Amino acid sequence: MFELKKKLAAFAAVTALAVGLPVTAGAQDQIKVGILSHDTGPFAQNGQGFHRGIEVYQALHGKSAGGREIEFVYRDIGGPNPAVGKRLAEELIVREKVQILGGFALSSEALAVGPIVEQTKTPAITFIASSPSVLAGSQYFLKSGQHIAQSSSAGATFARKQGAEKCYIVVSDYQPGYDAQKAFRKTFESEGGQIVGEVRVPLNTVDFAAIVEGIASTETDCINVFVPPGAPAIGLLRALAERGLVESNFVVGMGEAEDHILPQYDDSVVGFKGALYYAEALDNEENKTFIAKLKELYGPDTQPDFASASAYDGAHLIYEMVKSQEGKDWSGPDAVEAVKGLSWNGVRGPMKIDPETRELVQNIYLREVQKVDGKLQNAIVDQLEAVEAPSKEWMEN
Amino acid sequence: MKITVSSTGLSALDRPRLPMIALVVFALALAVFFVFPDRLSLAAYIGIFALFALSLDLALGMAGIVTLGHAAFFGVGAYTAGWLALAGWQEPITGVVISGLCAAALAGALGPFILRLTGLPLVMVTLAVGVFLFEAANKLTWLTGGDDGLYGMTFSPVLGIFEWSIYGTTDYLYVLAWLALAFYGCHRLTTSNFGLALRGVRENRLRMSLLGSSVLAQLTLAYALSAFIAGVAGALLAQTSEFVGLEVLSVEKSIDVVVILVLGGVGHLYGALLGAPVYLLIKDMSKEWNPHAWMIIIGFMLVFVMLVARGGIHGVLHKVIARSRGKLPNGEPR
Amino acid sequence: MEQFLASLAFIILYGGTYGAVLFIISVGLVMTMGLMRVPNLAHGAFAALGGYLTILLMNQAGANYFVAVPVAVILVAALGALAERTIYVRLYNIPELDQILLTVGIAFIFVGGLALTFGPNVFTIRLPEVLSGSVDLFGRSFPVYRVFLLAVGALIILGFWLVFDRTTLGAKLRAAVDNRSMAQATGINVERIVMLAFAAGTGLAALGGAIGAGLFPLEPLYPIKYLTIILIIVALSGFGNIKSSIVVAMVVGIADTAARYYLPELGGFAIYALVIAAVAMRPAGMFARQG
């Protein structure tokens, strides 16, 4: 038996050799970046944003940095399927020999891939995944999106600034909804407001009239919403508007009414507000160049959204990491170390990587849907500068 | 409405020995290990789905239980394996067995209630039970991690020797071993008296109960055995990905596994072995060409299999082989 | 108390409109299940197609809403008739599992095709001015759109009653649902009736998809996403039982809406619990004569 165990161990060692040793990267002249994206399924809208953001960045800044050519390889997860995300991440590292990972529309994908990122010391940039626990998955995770509480808390602060006293919170009944709900409630209450009602809406809800009826029977001057973009967001906002609540309340959400979704609403959505780290209407050089190139590449009707903006800023972070290793042997950990504390102007305005937490410090904008020249669009009506992500302790208590 | 399941193949009596096809498939599967060392993650994933489809074949192909909720057992297996590891029970093989038993227990509890039904009502109730579990897992975040998933688990090396790695070497051989074991078990089962009785139930439930056979007990036992294997497959997914996401319980998973089995061929066990690689490889490859194409391709394949190539890939192979030997299955005229 | 009654009244009204859309989308499948015993899992795809065609007609051809919807319905009904003659006709004598899989295959083709043609975005249909306001009801505002849905639902019920109880076609249809071979033997052209019924069923689904887009926004996954709720209506109605499908759709619509209002945290479960209980107790449908 003991003999057999020895033999098996030897066999295990041999097969490991046959299959190849960990990726050893020398001073090669190419860096491959694997993007975990969604080209099909319910999050395909985000995947489209990832492709466009990165392609626009490459069109504007060329396909190489720091003396190395940068190539992007995409993989489609095709729906909420973190196990497939993990498998694709392994394939990207083992087969495609990528040195950097990016993408991650869902937090569960980042959490599933975390152990591989840690084990292979591969820097990974999450474009959207915003769960508070994402960065804890590995020390090589960075973000180009947000911590969910940055926007949620900012929404509460904006509401208080506008004099809102009594707020009702309505979120989708799933983990991101719970995080958003908690952050909004804590901030709103700590700034002197009162939460008069909270409801978690089942994800399979089609008709939101009943939920809205419940809100309307409560006395409120403010409603906070967090539901996934797409059918749920459209359904809830329409129901709120039908009931006249968008007009009578300070209704603040997050990414429910991106500019390219606005044609799906009628005028009743006018007045809806969203607190988020990006807005199409942002008046800065980087954003103007970004939008101009986007329209040039994909047609004049194309509009940016938080997914394409995050991918663009994420691509910048990737280029900065590659530049930091110019003339040296490529080292993932060194590249991550080099961009900690980095600050730059993204399409969302000034942003900085907090060297301690690796979270982003960034502005949060209050956007309001307005009708200009017969067309619905988001205008920026307020902003909070250099918003930091809350601590783990704050989120947990 | 009476349920009938396609049965274009041979009856159990004609196949006492382990079918050649199975040996060929397993030989090919072993060859994959040496020929495609950089695709073993995908190969392990395919193996897990072959196992899942095999479990469905016990329920659907042998016992005629048409279900759209088999992911319930896959999911229970996956979460059990995850919880065990998080609680400190990191030994993988016993973990798999315990997970399978949990899934079987659930099936054993549900069976007496839902297996009285047939036809669309049965389909609807299995579907509803599946959705119910999914919704429950989404809400019980303290237990399942909800939408974020269950993470942070690690497993000890298999047999204390084989370390897990991102190359999927251990993963693949480990999954393959479980698959071979389960396949052999299922094969023995189909040729046993119990297997014959199940076929009797599938063909004519009324006649079997008139013959004095306790149909419900037999169906429940078959359902539990099937759930055990589904739970094993789920546990293997949890162990190889060190993560459990809500999707293990989704309706899409239930539909996927039915499609895999039907493409491969229902009721022959090795239909599961053929269907999983074909389905998942087409999905993987067609996406590189056009991401939306795979839905269309799989859709056309289903229509084709149902209208033209009844019996799935296995059925077609079987006919080709039989024709080359100069005879057709079941004594059909040429 | 007054507040409670007013809310209850509105829950019933909102639930009723939701139920009306569910009825319009599902009734075709209830009918064809009764006639042909084919669980057509691609039924939702015809509903989605109706909605997308309406968008296409409005945006590309500039058609008015009240023109685009009927044209889309007629086109889908014609396609339904064609599909019945070419594909579905071959399903009548194959095992049920194969029918399920084949129709799932058709649904997959639609999902992929819609994603390729229209992209991943979610669409709703812009309502005409007439339908976008609201009316006063018990001193509260109630959307005209929902009144419109109720009215269309009522018209269809009236239409069914007229066709079924007042025409020979209806009599033949009922005969074919009750006993197909007997109807055939008495000289009824069952094939033609089946084709007409299938066309009507898919056309109604298309109507539901088009006018119901305000509740069920259009997206490529529509055919699969809403399959469960459609199947729930069919399973609870029993095969071919159109009268009970009216009641079932309304009960499901109102019960679902009420559960989400009074117990929002558990609202997602209510409908499935209802299904499990109802089907387990009365597998042939809620109002079927249990044999």
Side-chain angles (χ1 to χ4, degrees), chain A residues 281-302:
Chain A
L282 273 173
D283 189 23
N284 65 49
E285 271 319 302
E286 200 72 26
N287 193 38
K288 282 186 198 154
T289 329
F290 167 60
I291 295 174
K293 197 69 182 176
L294 187 78
K295 288 184 188 296
E296 182 193 319
L297 290 181
Y298 304 103
D301 293 334
T302 315

Side-chain angles (χ1 to χ4, degrees), chain A residues 22 40 87 90 95 131 173, chain B residues 38 41 138-139 148 167 284 291:
Chain A
T40 57
R87 194 195 91 214
E90 285 178 348
R95 267 192 99 209
S131 160
D173 198 348
Chain B
D38 57 350
S41 292
N138 176 48
K139 278 196 77 80
D148 280 357
Y167 300 100
D284 215 55

Side-chain angles (χ1 to χ4, degrees), chain C residues 217-248:
Chain C
L218 297 159
E219 54 193 305
L221 282 172
Y222 184 114
I224 292 176
K225 194 171 175 183
Y226 301 121
L227 189 60
T228 318
I229 186 82
I230 295 175
L231 284 178
I232 284 173
I233 306 285
V234 175
L236 294 183
S237 301
F239 309 138
N241 195 337
I242 287 163
K243 277 180 195 151
S244 87
S245 79
I246 299 168
V247 181
V248 165

